[in-house]
Amino acid sequence: MKKTLIATAFLALGAQAQLAHADLTVAIAGPMTGQYASAGDQIRRGAEMAIADINAKGGVLGQKLKLEVGDDACDPKQAVSVANTMVNKKIVFMHGHWCSSSTIPASEVYVEADIPMATVSTNPQVTERGLKNIFRIMGRDDQQGLVAGSYIAEKFKGKKAAVLDDKSAYGKGLADEMAKAMTAKGLKPTLRESITAGEKDYSGIVTKLKQAGIEVLAYGGYHTEVALILRQAQQAGLKLTVMGGDTMTNSELVTAAGANSDNVMFTFSPDPRKNPDAAPIVKRFRDAKVEPEGYVMYAYAAMQLFADAATQAKSTKFSDLEKTMRGNTFKTVIGELAFDAKGDQKQPGFVVYQWKGGQYDYAAK
């Protein structure tokens, strides 16, 4: 009997020790497959590098981080399924999703499970629903739409402009904000149209743009459609400048549009690759043959945010993390992050970029 009790006690102690040293599971979710998979790949590469660096320094609260990857293909229903899967995997933090139309429904699952999330989704409704678990590490569409629309009105004064969206939550929201800013600045759009994302032929809308004499197009949507529109515009003899949002950072735009990509401008946060404090991390990515463009550094920053918040809170309990994340400032590779009561950045910023020769840089002011 005593031997049995002793054996049971040792088993219990072993189980406690194993539990104490169990990994902390964190996750990313986004379009790992489908037409926007290159964005998902950027997120994955950024998160993997951050987790490797964090674990190399001892992990978080003495525990190593383990990464789970969810593929929502930018489909809202699939995003909810991914979210439920992640809840069952008992993740303690989510960086995701990418498309606003996925982030919005998925966040309802995470908040019920008390899982904090950092996202780059820019639709205002991401943080306007009063959810306590969301922290947006990029600005909003009503902010970048104002910057983009104002730039168009000032730089293309007297030109004929059109506003086009892809009917997605992100695309329509951004296009509406650009149109609002353009009108406020005295450049009323000549056309306001929508397309369906994923189609193989946009010659119909290109013909409409050409007939209306459009010279600049404000576009709310993703890079894949812009590439096709530019190619078909060139075939139709239409010289078109396109202004888009943060999704135009993807180098696949250059691959698909070729030299036409030089006609693309877009809004995005200040380039984190130019942040002197991030230089060592930028070098590590480049040494690994990864260009830290687009959302790579944001995924890295999201994992830094979690690690620093958990360290400061001395806990991964949701109530402790939420309080710490909302009440402090965090130094990351994309700059300092601090959040307001909604979960938006207190000091977001957008600037205008232009593609030239396969690279993007700040546009002329």
Side-chain angles (χ1 to χ4, degrees):
M1 183 65 179
K2 285 184 179 179
K3 288 182 179 179
T4 303
L5 288 172
I6 291 169
T8 302
F10 272 115
L11 284 171
L13 285 170
Q16 288 176 356
Q18 187 175 13
L19 186 64
H21 292 90
D23 293 334
L24 290 172
T25 304
V26 296
I28 57 173
M32 303 300 159
T33 59
Q35 62 178 334
Y36 308 130
S38 53
D41 185 61
Q42 290 178 354
I43 294 166
R44 180 181 58 79
R45 289 175 181 272
E48 286 176 346
M49 180 74 81
I51 287 171
D53 289 349
I54 291 166
N55 285 343
K57 295 176 182 177
V60 176
L61 303 177
Q63 295 173 280
K64 294 297 178 73
L65 298 185
K66 175 187 173 185
L67 181 66
E68 289 285 345
V69 179
D71 177 21
D72 65 18
C74 274
D75 177 81
K77 289 182 180 179
Q78 194 165 323
V80 171
S81 176
V82 166
N84 282 308
T85 298
M86 292 303 177
V87 170
N88 291 333
K89 289 180 180 290
K90 301 189 184 306
I91 66 169
V92 294
F93 176 75
M94 163 58 70
H95 173 47
H97 293 215
W98 186 65
C99 288
S100 294
S101 55
S102 291
T103 299
I104 291 170
S107 62
E108 301 284 352
V109 177
Y110 298 124
V111 74
E112 285 294 322
D114 282 343
I115 295 171
M117 55 189 294
T119 184
V120 293
S121 293
T122 51
N123 186 282
Q125 284 304 307
V126 169
T127 51
E128 287 291 339
R129 294 164 297 139
L131 302 189
K132 60 184 179 179
N133 67 321
I134 293 183
F135 297 88
R136 193 192 325 245
I137 60 174
M138 188 175 284
R140 299 160 47 123
D141 287 336
D142 46 2
Q143 295 161 342
Q144 72 169 328
L146 174 62
V147 172
S150 298
Y151 187 95
I152 292 170
E154 291 165 6
K155 296 296 182 180
F156 296 91
K157 189 175 181 179
K159 305 288 187 182
K160 286 191 175 182
V163 177
L164 184 67
D165 71 73
D166 66 355
K167 302 178 186 174
S168 69
Y170 163 72
K172 186 177 185 308
L174 176 59
D176 286 346
E177 294 296 338
M178 287 193 285
K180 188 192 303 181
M182 289 162 62
T183 301
K185 292 282 187 177
L187 183 62
K188 187 176 180 179
T190 302
L191 288 177
R192 177 69 176 92
E193 299 283 341
S194 296
I195 59 170
T196 299
E199 293 188 348
K200 304 301 182 186
D201 181 12
Y202 293 114
S203 58
I205 192 65
V206 168
T207 298
K208 192 175 283 190
L209 295 173
K210 185 177 181 180
Q211 289 174 344
I214 300 301
E215 296 173 81
V216 58
L217 174 66
Y219 181 71
Y222 299 87
H223 66 278
T224 45
E225 286 70 36
V226 166
L228 180 52
I229 288 169
L230 282 171
R231 290 203 311 270
Q232 294 191 319
Q234 182 186 36
Q235 292 165 4
L238 173 62
K239 184 171 175 55
L240 198 62
T241 297
V242 177
M243 172 68 81
D246 53 290
T247 57
M248 298 299 139
T249 57
N250 201 304
S251 58
E252 279 197 354
L253 173 68
V254 178
T255 304
N260 291 311
S261 62
D262 285 358
N263 297 325
V264 177
M265 309 177 83
F266 62 91
T267 47
F268 196 51
S269 300
D271 193 342
R273 294 175 297 182
K274 297 180 184 291
N275 176 6
D277 293 337
I281 305 302
V282 171
K283 183 178 185 301
R284 275 182 38 72
F285 275 114
R286 287 174 173 163
D287 288 347
K289 308 301 181 187
V290 175
E291 181 56 35
E293 63 183 354
Y295 301 94
V296 174
M297 298 286 272
Y298 286 83
Y300 193 105
M303 294 302 162
Q304 284 183 305
L305 171 65
F306 166 73
D308 288 352
T311 301
Q312 289 185 38
K314 298 182 174 59
S315 169
T316 58
K317 185 179 176 183
F318 174 69
S319 58
D320 297 329
L321 284 173
E322 191 261 344
K323 181 180 178 181
T324 302
M325 291 169 75
R326 205 170 297 286
N328 292 278
T329 299
F330 302 89
K331 189 174 182 180
T332 75
V333 291
I334 61 172
E336 290 190 344
L337 295 176
F339 305 96
D340 63 17
K342 293 179 181 179
D344 285 319
Q345 277 199 67
K346 287 184 177 178
Q347 293 183 315
F350 283 102
V351 293
V352 177
Y353 293 82
Q354 183 162 11
W355 281 99
K356 283 292 180 187
Q359 304 289 329
Y360 65 78
D361 206 344
Y362 299 136
K365 292 183 178 180

